[in-house]
Amino acid sequence: MKAAGEAEAFRYNIEKELEGTEAQALAEMLRIMETVAEALTEAGRGRQRRQVFRVSDRSYVVRVTSRWSSGYEAHFTLAELIADTHDDELPSSASGSTQGP
């Protein structure tokens, strides 16, 4: 997931759904993070500053700033799907219920 917002007013969107082990998904998320606000030219990369902050083992904040902008920040979190009403393999609610709402 990637969040963008201020204070507690975050909007979350699914950046990409990943399959595989947790380690594989984390590696892919870290690769995706490397492309955030990536400069298109060598000169552009030299003028940008990218900072990556680890919030937890599964959560990171990326900040990109340059001379011409106040910056861009994105919060990435690796999340696990634990409930899905359209998947017979998973419960339909976070509490583990297999019955609909």
Side-chain angles (χ1 to χ4, degrees):
M1 280 197 236
K2 180 174 77 170
E6 297 178 16
E8 297 299 319
F10 286 103
R11 288 186 327 248
Y12 286 92
N13 65 300
I14 303 297
E15 185 73 14
K16 184 175 184 181
E17 289 191 27
L18 308 170
E19 294 201 20
T21 67
E22 181 177 343
Q24 291 168 327
L26 180 58
E28 179 64 9
M29 183 183 79
L30 294 174
R31 188 196 64 74
I32 291 168
M33 284 172 35
E34 291 300 318
T35 66
V36 171
E38 189 174 78
L40 298 177
T41 66
E42 188 66 35
R45 282 189 289 277
R47 291 188 295 266
Q48 283 186 337
R49 178 178 184 187
R50 292 182 80 250
Q51 296 172 297
V52 178
F53 302 88
R54 181 177 30 231
V55 178
S56 72
D57 288 342
R58 296 169 56 135
S59 182
Y60 297 82
V61 172
V62 177
R63 178 189 296 156
V64 180
T65 56
S66 70
R67 287 185 226 167
W68 301 281
S69 73
S70 58
Y72 169 83
E73 293 181 355
H75 183 179
F76 288 83
T77 301
L78 183 62
E80 178 182 6
L81 177 64
I82 61 166
D84 185 342
T85 59
H86 290 168
D87 186 338
D88 293 336
E89 307 268 328
L90 292 171
S92 60
S93 72
S95 66
S97 171
T98 56
Q99 302 197 3

